[in-house]
Amino acid sequence: VSTQSTGLTSSRMPRLCTFRLVNDPEQSRVGALVYEPDAVITANALTSDEPNMVVDLSAAWTEPGGLCMRRFLDGGADALAFCEQVVQSGYHRVPTSEIELCAPISNPEKLICIGLNYSDHAKECGLPLPEKPVVFAKFNNAITGPNADVILPPNSNKIDYEVEMVIVIGKKASCVHEADALDHVVGYTVGNDVSARDWQIEWGGSQWITGKTFDTFAPIGPAIVTKDIAGDVENAGIRCFVNGVPLQNSTTSFLHFKCGHIVSHLSHLMTLQPGDLIFTGTPPGVGLGRNPNVWLQAGDVVVCEIDGLGKITNRCVPKLDAH
């Protein structure tokens, strides 16, 4: 398969994931999560929210140098066609009970975030709704998996949760029109923009990056749901639970700046590359906006979910107890 094409296929695709085999935890692999009531099904049936198998694309990949998700997405339409071919072959199946899901992408060139992008969230933060997208960044050290621990740093005691829909870029984008912007998106995933509010707001002025990019402060997953099966991502339920208590419960229809506008806007600031991640903002209900405030504590379990995209579940642990 050639990895030079930059186009995206219109064929229906499964959920793309990165995983490790339980019996080979040192090696990350690229796969496609599927639900199989029978031994073999076609790609058109791969729409279940509860996959029970992963198709190991790395096992079928024959080009030198191995395969990671970023390299896979660089392959564009050819890589997606390869995925569909392997899925339909019926080979390279691994039960999900024998794998551990990792962050779908651990090494994006860019991890970009949009702030104050739900009107009610801006209000609860005491800030006006922005006229243009508020842009900040996290770094790759913040990325962690859909079931991994979130490490609470010892130098902050105001750690907050933020469920967010995350755009995944699939094709290079530079100065694209809003009407064409989604042609450069491969799919979407679930994220939690974990935030240290004391570092972000109280200390040293408005230090958004400082408060946002501690280790493990960007759990993402469980997979990249390609846009052809993701449904209406701008009208999807979006929720966050802490220890089973619903603290955020909204819909992406309240996004102030929609996905196409965000991608177009960013593409006029920087060239977006395949694998780049864009956190699109969080709805109301964050700990900062509650009275009294609600801060994450060691032992808390945070579940972030978006209809059609799945959920991530992350336990909070103090840094000294982290593995």
Side-chain angles (χ1 to χ4, degrees), residues 22-319:
V22 172
N23 60 6
D24 185 17
E26 300 302 317
Q27 181 70 37
S28 295
R29 311 177 72 83
V30 175
L33 286 168
V34 301
Y35 172 72
E36 295 197 347
D38 303 310
V40 180
I41 61 173
T42 66
N44 285 344
L46 304 177
T47 59
S48 171
D49 287 333
E50 297 184 5
N52 58 5
M53 302 287 285
V54 64
V55 180
D56 188 350
L57 301 179
S58 293
W61 187 263
T62 59
E63 292 195 1
L67 185 63
C68 68
M69 185 63 73
R70 185 168 162 186
R71 183 182 184 189
F72 177 86
L73 294 178
D74 277 339
D78 286 344
L80 293 176
F82 162 77
C83 174
E84 188 169 19
Q85 179 182 15
V86 177
V87 166
Q88 293 183 353
S89 76
Y91 296 107
H92 306 296
R93 264 53 176 171
V94 182
T96 53
S97 60
E98 298 179 12
I99 69 163
E100 175 191 358
L101 287 174
C102 307
I105 302 175
S106 61
N107 62 337
E109 182 182 279
K110 293 178 285 296
L111 199 173
I112 310 163
C113 304
I114 305 299
L116 304 174
N117 201 27
Y118 286 74
S119 56
D120 288 350
H121 175 56
K123 182 178 179 180
E124 72 177 353
C125 292
L127 297 169
L129 202 59
E131 295 182 5
K132 292 184 178 181
V134 175
V135 180
F136 61 98
K138 288 176 178 269
F139 301 123
N140 287 352
N141 64 290
I143 296 175
T144 195
N147 301 299
D149 291 343
V150 168
I151 301 172
L152 303 180
N155 55 348
S156 174
N157 57 14
K158 294 185 178 181
I159 307 299
D160 209 345
Y161 50 86
E162 291 191 3
V163 59
E164 305 203 15
M165 180 173 67
V166 182
I167 299 169
V168 183
I169 297 297
K171 184 171 68 170
K172 181 179 177 180
S174 178
C175 297
V176 300
H177 295 294
E178 183 172 342
D180 303 321
L182 295 186
D183 294 339
H184 298 260
V185 172
V186 66
Y188 306 86
T189 193
V190 180
N192 184 357
D193 178 15
V194 184
S195 306
R197 300 299 190 190
D198 35 19
W199 284 96
Q200 178 190 355
I201 299 171
E202 298 175 11
W203 299 335
S206 183
Q207 298 278 357
W208 281 41
I209 290 179
T210 304
K212 297 279 191 172
T213 200
F214 283 88
D215 293 347
T216 73
F217 270 28
I220 57 172
I224 300 167
V225 182
T226 50
K227 59 187 178 183
D228 58 314
I229 65 171
D232 186 359
V233 296
E234 293 180 348
N235 190 29
I238 179 169
R239 295 169 291 274
C240 178
F241 303 82
V242 177
N243 301 327
V245 178
L247 296 182
Q248 293 182 277
N249 186 6
S250 187
T251 169
T252 56
S253 63
F254 290 111
L255 279 168
H256 178 48
F257 299 109
K258 306 299 185 182
C259 295
H261 182 90
I262 291 170
V263 172
S264 175
H265 176 77
L266 292 174
S267 79
H268 284 80
L269 304 177
M270 65 199 80
T271 299
L272 301 174
Q273 298 288 354
D276 283 353
L277 301 174
I278 306 170
F279 280 60
T280 58
T282 197
V286 298
L288 175 67
R290 292 182 171 272
N291 186 13
N293 297 141
V294 175
W295 308 123
L296 295 176
Q297 307 295 324
D300 286 349
V301 175
V302 183
V303 176
C304 296
E305 64 180 21
I306 301 174
D307 293 345
L309 303 184
K311 68 179 180 180
I312 59 177
T313 302
N314 304 96
R315 182 174 62 102
C316 299
V317 300
K319 188 174 181 66

